[in-house]
Amino acid sequence: MNQFGGNWSENKIEILVGYAKAYLTIMNKFAEKFNWQLLYFDGFAGSGHIKGEDGNENPIVGAAKRILEIDEPRSFDLYYFVEKEKVYADLLHKVTVEAFPNKKIFIANTDCNQKIESLSNFLSSKKGKAFKALAYIDPYGMQLNWKSLETLQKHSVDVWILVPTGMGVNRLLKKDGDISDAWLSRLENFLGMTKEDILPYFYQEAKIYTLFGEETKITKEENAIERSAKLYEERLNSLFKFVSKPYVLKNKMNSVMFHFFMVSNNKAAISIANDITKKYNDGTI
Ligand SMILES: C[S@@+](CC[C@H](N)C(=O)[O-])C[C@H]1O[C@@H](n2cnc3c(N)ncnc32)[C@H](O)[C@@H]1O
């Protein structure tokens, strides 16, 4: 079972499910008319259950099952789940393939980045051109490479992305700016930017004069989490025409952990996403 649950975990799934229902309702009309097929892609699918706040007692039903349960007004034509951990992929098989024998479900026990690129290739193919897709990218950390997301930009795909602003980016941005090469490279892959562009965004440099001469003082911006959310939003906007307002996930101490965005090349899709997320934010967004 996946660790790491909480109220925000449930909200995130409710947002996704709410959106998927609206998506299927709208797409239902067009799918018949234009012979479209609907594909659901989950890049970090998990084990099928998430540990609740009370530990093991009341596990939260994961997104995979919730999405598969939707039948009205229609279901997706194809479901593709990616999970890197073999044990989780096997558990997921039970709650998906075995529990929904009449649905077309695939599970790939591999890295999400690889499969996002395969998804993009598929959507570009002759067969894939008939497909419209809804994707869910729900990592714990910074596993999503910017390069992978880039491959989706021209496609007819709506993507919900969990961005680890507080739990990922901010943690790598050390207070004194002394970031290891490995962490810098992680930031570069995640943001699709060079360190020369990333660092000035989060740090200020000032010359100070001491008894021993001139020194450079590096100060981290105070609102680095919000800055990272803004930056990622801008980056998303460079790929997709529209980016939703985020659902902001906070822990019990009210610290921001993640921002949950939806991107699409369809304007109507974004206004639906915004309507849904508004209910879950505390009025500040
Ligand atoms: C937040 S959990 C997913 C929870 C799931 N979406 C749900 O609602 O039940 C993230 C999952 O991604 C998996 N994972 C981590 N890195 C991955 C990668 N590079 N590719 C695919 N899956 C990965 C982890 O093993 C974990 O099960």
Side-chain angles (χ1 to χ4, degrees), residues 4 18 23 57 65 81 104 129 147 175 178 203 209 229 246 260 265 270-271 278-279:
F4 217 68
Y23 178 90
E57 278 172 36
K65 182 167 184 276
F81 297 104
K104 221 174 180 180
K129 281 207 165 40
K147 253 180 36 205
K175 211 164 177 191
D178 187 15
Y203 295 94
Y209 299 93
F260 191 39
N265 289 317
I270 294 297
S271 75
K278 200 161 59 186
K279 283 186 251 163

Side-chain angles (χ1 to χ4, degrees), residues 2 43-46 50 62-63 83-85 88 110-112 138 140:
N2 283 113
F44 293 84
I50 304 161
E83 170 54 52
K84 199 173 174 186
E85 294 296 328
Y88 291 162
T110 184
D111 182 88
C112 170
D138 178 36
Y140 287 142

